[in-house]
C-alpha cells in the first residue's frame, strides 16, 4: 500500500504561503456561506485521500460548525471516520478540471491499481495544517480544519457528517475582513457545481442597502 508523502513544512516556501492568512473562527462560516463546491481531505493509518463534494454548508457561529454529505462508497469517508478529523478546502476557477477529476475518481482504486494515492496520481502539492493531520491542498482559496462531531445515526442514514472548525485560513487576495472580493483575481473565483461537470463561477460581490418598509 502507498504511504503519504510528507506535506510541505509550514515554514517552507510554497505557492500560496505568502497569501494565506488565518481567519478568526467567528468568521470561518463565511468561507462557505456562499455555497461553493469543496474538496474534502482526510488521512488515517498511513493513507490519505481527497474528493470533491458539492453539498457542504456552515451550521453555527460559535463554535463554528459545518456539514458535508459523503457517500458510503467514498474512501475519504472511511479515513475521516478513522481519524476523527478532516479538512474542507475551497477550490478556485484555476482548479476547475482538477476538481472535476477529484470528484470522479476513486482514491481506493488508484491505490489498488497503481500503488499511488490520489495526491501522487494527480501531482498534487500539499501543506501541513495547524490543527489536524488532514492534508491541505495548495492552490485553493480557503481551508477549514475540522474535528468530527460523531453522529452515527445521521451519518449512517443520511450520509451527513458534522464538524467543528478548529482552524481556518484563506487567501488574503480574495478574502479579507470577513468578506470575499474577487475583483482582479478571476482565476481565484470559487466554483459552484450544478450537475454533470457543469459549474457556475462566483461573480460580482455586492452589498445590500437598507430597505425601509412601504408606508401605509
Amino acid at each position: 500500500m502507498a504511504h503519504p508523502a510528507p506535506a510541505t513544512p509550514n515554514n517552507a516556501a510554497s505557492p500560496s504561503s505568502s497569501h494565506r492568512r488565518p481567519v478568526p473562527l467567528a468568521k470561518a462560516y463565511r468561507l462557505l456561506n456562499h455555497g461553493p463546491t469543496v474538496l474534502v481531505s482526510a488521512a488515517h493509518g498511513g493513507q490519505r485521500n481527497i474528493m470533491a463534494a458539492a453539498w457542504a454548508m456552515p451550521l453555527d457561529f460559535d463554535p463554528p460548525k459545518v456539514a458535508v454529505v459523503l457517500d458510503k462508497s467514498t474512501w475519504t469517508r472511511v479515513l475521516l471516520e478513522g481519524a476523527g478529523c478532516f479538512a474542507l478546502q475551497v477550490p478556485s476557477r484555476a482548479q476547475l478540471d482538477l476538481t472535476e477529476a477529484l470528484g470522479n475518481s476513486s482514491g481506493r482504486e488508484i491505490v489498488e491499481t497503481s500503488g499511488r494515492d490520489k495526491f501522487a496520481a494527480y501531482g498534487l502539492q500539499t501543506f501541513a495544517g495547524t490543527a489536524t493531520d488532514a492534508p491541505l491542498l495548495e492552490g485553493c482559496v480557503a481551508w477549514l480544519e475540522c474535528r468530527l462531531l460523531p453522529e452515527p445515526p445521521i451519518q449512517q442514514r443520511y450520509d451527513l457528517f458534522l464538524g467543528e472548525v478548529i482552524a481556518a485560513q484563506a487567501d488574503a487576495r480574495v478574502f479579507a475582513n470577513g468578506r470575499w472580493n474577487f475583483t482582479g483575481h478571476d482565476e481565484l473565483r470559487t466554483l459552484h457545481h450544478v450537475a454533470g461537470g457543469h459549474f457556475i463561477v462566483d461573480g460580482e460581490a455586492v452589498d445590500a442597502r437598507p430597505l425601509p418598509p412601504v408606508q401605509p
Side-chain angles (χ1 to χ4, degrees):
M1 299 293 284
H3 294 285
T8 303
N10 285 335
N11 60 354
S14 63
S16 66
S17 60
S18 62
H19 302 293
R20 289 196 303 269
R21 300 290 184 275
V23 174
L25 293 184
K27 294 182 179 178
Y29 74 96
R30 298 184 183 185
L31 297 174
L32 300 180
N33 214 37
H34 63 312
T37 295
V38 298
L39 300 175
V40 188
S41 62
H44 179 64
Q47 302 294 328
R48 61 182 184 170
N49 200 46
I50 187 168
M51 60 171 281
W55 294 354
M57 61 178 288
L59 282 181
D60 203 353
F61 299 102
D62 185 22
K65 300 181 184 71
V66 296
V68 61
V69 174
L70 303 172
D71 188 81
K72 293 178 180 63
S73 65
T74 62
W75 193 30
T76 301
R77 172 171 170 159
V78 174
L79 299 177
L80 181 159
E81 290 180 309
C85 61
F86 62 98
L88 301 182
Q89 36 253 299
V90 181
S92 68
R93 168 66 179 81
Q95 296 170 306
L96 173 62
D97 295 341
L98 174 61
T99 299
E100 176 70 3
L102 295 179
N104 285 281
S105 58
S106 167
R108 183 185 286 109
E109 290 181 3
I110 290 174
V111 169
E112 291 174 350
T113 58
S114 70
R116 302 183 298 170
D117 63 24
K118 197 182 286 190
F119 292 89
Y122 286 99
L124 306 183
Q125 184 176 354
T126 64
F127 63 95
T130 62
T132 71
D133 291 329
L136 305 184
L137 179 63
E138 285 282 5
C140 296
V141 292
W143 303 263
L144 299 93
E145 296 179 73
C146 304
R147 176 175 65 86
L148 177 64
L149 300 175
E151 292 286 351
I154 67 169
Q155 291 168 198
Q156 183 63 29
R157 185 170 184 177
Y158 300 109
D159 297 334
L160 182 66
F161 287 77
L162 308 183
E164 177 185 342
V165 182
I166 54 178
Q169 300 180 66
D171 189 317
R173 291 173 293 179
V174 291
F175 186 86
N177 301 317
R179 294 191 177 190
W180 289 103
N181 188 336
F182 298 98
T183 303
H185 297 286
D186 286 345
E187 286 303 293
L188 297 181
R189 293 182 183 275
T190 53
L191 303 171
H192 306 260
H193 187 248
V194 179
H198 179 67
F199 293 78
I200 294 174
V201 178
D202 198 276
E204 180 184 4
V206 295
D207 291 317
R209 295 179 296 177
L211 182 64
V214 176
Q215 295 300 316

